[in-house]
């Protein structure tokens, strides 16, 4: 089964984003990163643990009516480093890109250390350096290794 | 010294450390020679937490360099009480002073504040984070008493929340030191410090009992176990007594052991050690003045 066949297991979208090659089992976390909980009314399709030559098992997410911001892509890359992002307009894939692991993510994660200055009402954005197996707050140096989606800043 | 701000011991190379300590030794040998070095210079003191030694030694250091201080005063009497942000406070005070010294209860506060000012900013303690100038005076004291070559140091007490420990552990990766950390399991080094020590390839061992390692030590650095950090009083009582030392404890130590403490102490070092050759904590506190004079002199010179 080709990647295109697998993507077609769920319905095609007119305009939006197809995120393919998500690490198997991470699709719900990807939705969390994108702030998608199903309440907005947009169509969302999820396929989980599909066979994949490259990953063994992979997830696919299709989101109607949404294109990802760079911040979203950056955080996505931390939990799904092999993901590819396909932008769809009028049923055609107009852009296709692999995510790249950034050296820094800014303004998208909240530091879990309640005594970190970045959690106060100060005119700075949270900033995390990407380290070997997680991210590290640039202010208080707290390292987050697990469950990154739980630390995504509320809009 | 090429740094505009002194935020973390991690930014100090071996060469930086040696340069500050050498300069501090020159100053200590002839403090009068520096009496007019920075006349008309004002140091802004922003202490959002109580402090005795750090604040007084910075004040003394600046005055002994011929300058003066402007002091924000207590938080209760400042605009902070009205809800002013830290970013605004430092931006205002940089207009009054040639350099700033900041102590603040939140981790990362100095790092953040430094992003808003052009004058040099020195971290004088940010919550449980870092305290780099304490580390410089600790290193000065260690170098004077035990040297940096093949040094075996035990650091005992609250390693989790102790900012002096975090800074010192980082800095010791620059010298030939074997580091032993002695604490209750609940107060072991935080993940971020372990990560850095691992990245630096530091030789580190952890213990829960001092007697496992005491005979090997050249330096024993004691910190206060902070009762207020324990969620349960009985947990505190279970560990506190194990981390008190007295002259009987030190019978197993080398004769030339150096006992240090950033102070204030409560009961972790018995007074019967004070008059022994082991006790170095008051000398350590006094070293804060020449070391901070050296650091301020170098920072101010670099920014003139």
């Amino acid at each position: 089964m080709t990647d295109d066949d697998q993507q077609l297991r769920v319905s095609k979208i007119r305009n939006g984003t197809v995120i393919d090659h998500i690490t198997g089992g991470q699709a719900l976390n990807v939705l969390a990163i994108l702030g998608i909980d199903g309440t907005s009314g947009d169509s969302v399709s999820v396929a989980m643990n599909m066979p994949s030559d490259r990953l063994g098992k992979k997830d696919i997410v299709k989101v109607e009516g949404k294109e990802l911001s760079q911040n979203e892509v950056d955080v996505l890359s931390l939990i799904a480093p092999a993901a590819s992002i396909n932008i769809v307009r009028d049923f055609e894939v107009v852009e296709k890109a692999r995510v790249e692991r950034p050296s820094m993510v800014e303004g998208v994660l909240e530091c879990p250390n309640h005594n970190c200055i970045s959690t106060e009402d100060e005119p700075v954005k949270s900033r995390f350096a990407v380290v070997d197996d997680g991210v590290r707050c640039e202010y208080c140096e707290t390292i987050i290794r697990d469950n990154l989606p739980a630390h995504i800043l509320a809009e | 010294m090429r740094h505009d701000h002194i935020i973390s011991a991690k930014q100090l190379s071996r060469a930086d450390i040696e340069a500050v300590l050498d300069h501090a030794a020159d100053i200590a040998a002839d403090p009068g020679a520096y009496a007019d070095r920075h006349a008309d210079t004002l140091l802004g003191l922003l202490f959002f937490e109580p402090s005795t030694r750090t604040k007084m030694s910075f004040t003394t250091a600046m005055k002994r360099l011929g300058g003066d201080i402007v002091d924000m005063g207590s938080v209760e009497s400042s605009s902070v009480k009205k809800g002013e942000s830290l970013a605004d406070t430092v931006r205002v005070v940089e207009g009054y002073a040639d350099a700033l010294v900041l102590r603040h209860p939140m981790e990362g506060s100095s790092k953040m504040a430094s992003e808003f000012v052009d004058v040099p900013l020195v971290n004088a303690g940010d919550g449980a984070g870092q305290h780099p100038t304490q580390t410089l005076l600790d290193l000065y004291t260690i170098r004077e008493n035990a040297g940096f070559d093949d040094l075996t140091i035990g650091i005992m007490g609250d390693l989790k929340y102790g900012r002096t420990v975090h800074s010192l552990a980082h800095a010791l990766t620059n010298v030939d030191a074997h580091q032993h950390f002695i604490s209750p399991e609940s107060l072991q080094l935080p993940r971020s410090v372990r990560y850095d020590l691992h990245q630096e390839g530091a030789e580190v061992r952890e213990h829960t009992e001092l007697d496992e390692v005491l005979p090997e030590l050249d330096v024993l650095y004691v910190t206060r176990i902070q009762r207020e950090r324990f969620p349960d009083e009985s947990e505190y009582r279970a560990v506190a007594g194990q981390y008190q030392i007295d002259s009987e404890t030190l019978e197993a130590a080398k004769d030339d052991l150096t006992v240090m403490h950033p102070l204030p102490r409560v009961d972790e070092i018995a007074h019967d050690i004070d008059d022994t050759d082991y006790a170095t904590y008051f000398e350590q506190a006094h070293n804060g003045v020449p070391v901070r004079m050296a650091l301020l002199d170098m920072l101010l010179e670099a920014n003139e």
Side-chain angles (χ1 to χ4, degrees), chain B residues 64-124:
Chain B
R64 289 208 182 280
L65 288 168
D68 208 340
I69 54 118
V70 283
D71 184 353
M72 179 186 84
S74 69
V75 167
E76 285 67 30
S77 63
S78 73
S79 292
V80 177
K81 197 71 180 171
K82 301 172 190 168
E84 185 177 57
S85 69
L86 175 59
D88 280 1
T89 302
V90 294
R91 278 183 286 195
V92 169
V93 181
E94 83 163 322
Y96 308 151
D98 302 290
L100 301 176
V101 176
L102 174 65
R103 169 168 291 188
H104 195 279
M106 302 203 78
E107 283 100 75
S109 46
S110 282
K111 163 82 172 160
M112 187 213 73
S114 73
E115 294 171 1
F116 290 90
V117 295
D118 291 325
V119 298
L121 184 144
V122 179
N123 180 4

Side-chain angles (χ1 to χ4, degrees), chain B residues 222 245-248 250 259-261 263 265-283:
Chain B
V222 185
I245 61 167
D246 56 22
S247 54
E248 192 180 324
L250 298 186
V259 176
M260 298 173 62
H261 192 301
L263 303 179
R265 69 172 155 178
V266 180
D267 56 5
E268 54 278 2
I269 299 179
H271 291 284
D272 69 356
I273 295 179
D274 294 356
D275 294 327
T276 69
D277 290 339
Y278 298 124
T280 317
Y281 25 93
F282 294 117
E283 173 191 331

Side-chain angles (χ1 to χ4, degrees), chain B residues 281-299:
Chain B
Y281 25 93
F282 294 117
E283 173 191 331
Q284 180 187 355
H286 297 161
N287 287 338
V289 172
V291 168
R292 289 183 170 118
M293 285 175 75
L295 184 72
L296 289 173
D297 185 34
M298 294 166 82
L299 273 180

Side-chain angles (χ1 to χ4, degrees), chain A:
Chain A
M1 188 182 290
T2 67
D3 283 355
D4 286 344
D5 291 336
Q6 286 180 338
Q7 288 192 13
L8 287 171
R9 276 202 176 191
V10 287
S11 61
K12 290 186 91 172
I13 57 175
R14 174 188 290 275
N15 293 300
T17 304
V18 177
I19 307 166
D20 199 355
H21 298 105
I22 298 167
T23 313
Q26 290 292 330
L28 298 181
N29 286 334
V30 167
L31 292 177
I33 285 171
L34 303 182
I36 294 169
D37 60 8
T39 58
S40 70
D42 289 331
S43 299
V44 180
S45 306
V46 177
M48 296 181 74
N49 295 316
M50 308 291 286
S52 163
D53 290 341
R54 186 144 52 96
L55 301 176
K57 287 181 177 178
K58 68 171 185 177
D59 294 357
I60 303 169
V61 168
K62 295 185 177 189
V63 188
E64 183 78 47
K66 180 176 177 69
E67 294 185 13
L68 305 192
S69 69
Q70 189 58 49
N71 274 342
E72 288 170 329
V73 172
D74 284 348
V75 180
L76 180 66
S77 72
L78 301 177
I79 63 162
S84 59
I85 295 172
N86 306 301
I87 304 296
V88 177
R89 293 184 193 134
D90 275 337
F91 296 109
E92 296 294 327
V93 174
V94 296
E95 281 180 48
K96 191 164 189 164
R98 286 267 187 92
V99 296
E100 285 185 21
R101 196 171 156 85
S103 59
M104 190 83 72
V105 289
E106 188 172 281
V108 289
L109 296 171
E110 182 171 38
C111 185
N113 174 7
H114 298 303
N115 206 43
C116 174
I117 195 73
S118 71
T119 66
E120 287 290 284
D121 189 17
E122 295 285 347
V124 288
K125 289 180 177 174
S126 75
R127 203 159 68 225
F128 286 81
V130 178
V131 295
D132 294 348
D133 55 351
V135 294
R136 183 177 207 181
C137 177
E138 283 281 278
Y139 292 102
C140 75
E141 306 203 331
T142 293
I143 293 174
I144 313 175
R145 288 207 170 101
D146 307 314
N147 199 12
L148 284 180
H151 303 289
I152 294 170
L153 274 167
E155 287 291 328

